[in-house]
Amino acid sequence: MRLVVMFDNFGPYHVARFHAVLRQAEQEGFEVLGLETLGASREYSWTSWAPSARSNIITLFPRVNQLQPLIPLIGYRVVKSLTALRPDAVAICGYRDVAPLAALAWAKAKGKIAVLMSDSSYGDKQRYRLLEWGKSRIVRRCDAALVAG
C-alpha cells in the first residue's frame, strides 16, 4: 500500500507528524510519501529544512511562496504527480484550494481512497447556506476524514 500525504507546505509540525507516520508505515509494511505544493510559505516564517528532514517529501513548486500566480498550473502538476506516484490513498489537507480539489478529483477518477484532513468549528465564523451546501458536496466525496474542531 502507498499513501501520499498532501499539504500546501510542510512546516515544522507537519514534518514531525509525517516522520511519525513514516515510522509507523515501516512497521505496518506500507509506503508513505509527502507531496507539497510550495517550497516556502508567506504566512509562516518556517526555516528551510535539511534534506534529510524532508526525506520522502516532493515539492511541486520549490522556489515559490504563494499560490495565486500558479493557479493554472497547480491542478495539472498535482494530477501529473499523483499519476506518477500511483498511491492507493491520498490524505488531502482541506478542500478550498486547487491542489486538494485536484487530488480529490484524481482519487475519485482512479478509484483510490481520499482522506480529508481538516479543522472546523461550528462557531468560528458566520455560515452561509450556499457555501455550506457546496462544502458538503465536496466532503461527501471523501472516503474518510481526520478532523479537529
Side-chain angles (χ1 to χ4, degrees):
M1 168 126 180
R2 178 179 286 174
L3 168 67
V4 168
V5 178
M6 291 183 61
F7 285 102
D8 281 343
N9 180 253
F10 278 82
Y13 56 89
H14 297 115
V15 172
R17 292 174 183 166
F18 182 71
H19 281 273
V21 171
L22 283 173
R23 287 190 298 275
Q24 185 66 37
E26 285 178 9
Q27 293 176 6
E28 300 291 328
F30 67 93
E31 183 180 9
V32 178
L33 301 167
L35 183 63
E36 69 179 353
T37 310
L38 305 175
S41 172
R42 289 181 57 174
E43 296 174 5
Y44 306 103
S45 59
W46 294 331
T47 58
S48 297
W49 296 95
S52 61
R54 296 181 55 83
S55 65
N56 291 28
I57 299 173
I58 298 162
T59 306
L60 299 180
F61 299 95
R63 291 184 172 80
V64 178
N65 68 0
Q66 62 178 336
L67 292 171
Q68 198 67 27
L70 301 172
I71 287 174
L73 295 175
I74 293 169
Y76 170 77
R77 289 243 182 120
V78 167
V79 168
K80 184 177 176 183
S81 297
L82 290 173
T83 300
L85 295 172
R86 299 183 332 265
D88 300 295
V90 183
I92 304 163
C93 186
Y95 49 79
R96 293 181 55 184
D97 297 318
V98 173
L101 291 174
L104 177 59
W106 180 89
K108 296 291 94 185
K110 300 294 184 182
K112 306 301 181 180
I113 297 167
V115 179
L116 173 64
M117 300 182 294
S118 183
D119 289 337
S120 182
S121 174
Y122 182 76
D124 63 354
K125 61 184 171 184
Q126 184 176 358
R127 303 296 172 163
Y128 299 95
R129 187 173 290 197
L130 185 59
L131 288 175
E132 295 301 312
W133 177 84
K135 286 193 283 187
S136 74
R137 304 296 295 170
I138 295 167
V139 170
R140 76 174 51 156
R141 297 196 69 210
C142 298
D143 300 294
L146 175 62
V147 299

